[in-house]
Amino acid sequence: MMRLFSASLAAMIMATPALAQDHTQMDHGAHQMPAAQEAEPEVDHSTMDHGAMGHGQPASPPNSLTGPANAADAIWGADAMRPSREALYEEHGDMQIFWFQGDRMEFRARDGEDGYLWDVQGYYGGDIDKFWFKSEGEGSFGEPLESAEVQALYSRAIAPFFDLQAGVRQDLTGPDRTHAVIGIQGLAPYMFEVDAAAFLSNKGGLTARIEAEYDQRLSQRLILQPRAEINLSAQEIPELEIGSGVDNIELGLRLRYEIAREFAPYVGIEQEWKLGGSRDFARLAGEDSSVTNYVVGVRFWF
């Protein structure tokens, strides 16, 4: 048995070199390689009429966000598309909305009698035309109202984020005054909310008010809001204790926490200065021309 196994192993070792191929003995020249394809003749496209072949420039680039206006009219006809287009505009761009906001509803702690303030506004209308209403006022507890007013305004969008407003303002305290109002309200670059208006009273007094505020979001629910307001007058109005020029300036800082987007209590501080002739009127009345208010309030909307 051992002799048979040894003989088989010797035969395998002797046969292995024979399995290797000797390429030096091959005639590689006899191998015929496929010939390269002949180049196609060039075509002179300059002589072709690509417009007639439908190869012209497309109506809109492939990466454009919009195509030509009313392009569907070319397929379905303007009469067929008009009702669909009006329905689309009504459902997606002309809805009538009611919105109301209590921007500042606050208690004010300060030297002397503590006070209160309200500042509310709202509108009803669509994207372009709205009816705006505004009201604000303030006073001290245990004393008559210091100031109060209501405004009714027609508002029309004049830019994507700005409305032109015009209407009337009625003062509810002091000497009876009705004012014609014209102003703008909207969102300025860098997200500043601006509300500026001029008032012409039925007594001929011309005044103006400019308000600006900015929401600095510290977290998803905590917002720091700087706010500035300046009141101006074109002339002295003694019965209202207003001097000509800059009447007063208010600078405030409020920190609010949005329990819900629609409801946010806040705390803050506001400093008010009466200037020029208005400061003189305040001193004659025995009032302080500079007042610091520590405020606690709530902001809400629906």
Side-chain angles (χ1 to χ4, degrees), residues 175 177 203 236-242 281:
R177 289 285 191 281
K203 304 296 183 182
E236 184 176 278
I237 310 175
E239 58 271 30
L240 298 178
E241 299 182 349
I242 296 175
F281 282 119

Side-chain angles (χ1 to χ4, degrees), residues 52-74:
M53 299 169 66
H55 294 171
Q57 190 71 16
S60 58
N63 58 351
S64 65
L65 299 179
T66 61
N70 302 339
D73 291 357

